[in-house]
Amino acid sequence: MKLALAILNSDDAHSVISHLTRAEFFVTKLSTTGGFLSAGNVTILIGLPDEKLEEALELISKYSHSRRQVIPSTSEIGMGFYSALPVQVTVGGATVFVLDVEQFQKY
Ligand code: 2BA
C-alpha cells in the first residue's frame, strides 16, 4: 500500500478531488500554506493499493495546471535605495510525494 501526498493549487483542488473520488479513491483534504509565497494551497492524502498508484497520478497530473504568479520582490539599487520589482514564479501543477505504508488499519 502507498500514501500519496499531493500539494495542489487551490483553484485545481476541487476538480482533482472530485475526479479522484469518482474513480473510487479515498481522499483527505487539508488546507495548507506554501512557505515561499505564503499563499493558500491544498494538500491531499490518498491511501491506495500499489496497483492503483499510476491511475491516481494520472488523474492528479491531468487536472492540475501550472500558473505564472507575480510576487513583489525588493532589491537594493544602491545608496540605500530599494526598488520593489515584481518577479514571476511558476507554481505547480501538483507536487506529489509517494510513501510506502507500513501499516493501515480502520477501526
Ligand atoms: P510555495 O512554497 O509557496 O512555492 C510557490 C512557488 O514558488 C514554487 O512552485 C516555486 O516555483 C517557487 N519557490 C518555492 N520555493 C522557492 C525557493 N526557495 N526559491 C525560489 N523559488 C521558490 P512549486 O514548486 O510548484 O510549489 C508549489 C507549492 O508546493 C509550494 O508553495 C509548497 O507549498 C509546495 N512544495 C513544493 N515543493 C515542495 C517540497 N520539496 N517540499 C514541501 N513542499 C513543497
Side-chain angles (χ1 to χ4, degrees):
M1 183 173 197
K2 303 281 188 202
L3 177 68
L5 216 152
I7 302 162
L8 311 172
N9 189 296
S10 300
D11 294 338
D12 295 330
H14 177 76
S15 169
V16 172
I17 292 168
S18 65
H19 284 91
L20 285 168
T21 50
R22 242 180 273 168
E24 299 182 358
F25 288 99
F26 289 82
V27 179
T28 295
K29 174 187 171 195
L30 307 170
S31 296
T32 47
T33 304
F36 190 67
L37 296 180
S38 293
N41 51 29
V42 170
T43 299
I44 54 173
L45 311 180
I46 314 158
L48 73 177
D50 290 18
E51 60 274 15
K52 288 195 77 181
L53 180 63
E54 278 315 307
E55 184 188 351
L57 295 180
E58 274 169 27
L59 287 171
I60 294 168
S61 132
K62 183 170 178 186
Y63 295 103
S64 299
H65 307 284
S66 65
R67 294 166 175 81
R68 303 282 289 164
Q69 207 156 321
V70 179
I71 56 166
S73 158
T74 309
S75 54
E76 188 172 2
I77 53 175
M79 297 172 62
F81 289 97
Y82 287 82
S83 145
L85 290 172
V87 168
Q88 282 204 345
V89 289
T90 302
V91 184
T95 299
V96 185
F97 301 87
V98 179
L99 293 81
D100 285 320
V101 173
E102 209 166 282
Q103 202 177 355
F104 170 69
Q105 302 287 350
K106 277 191 178 179
Y107 296 109

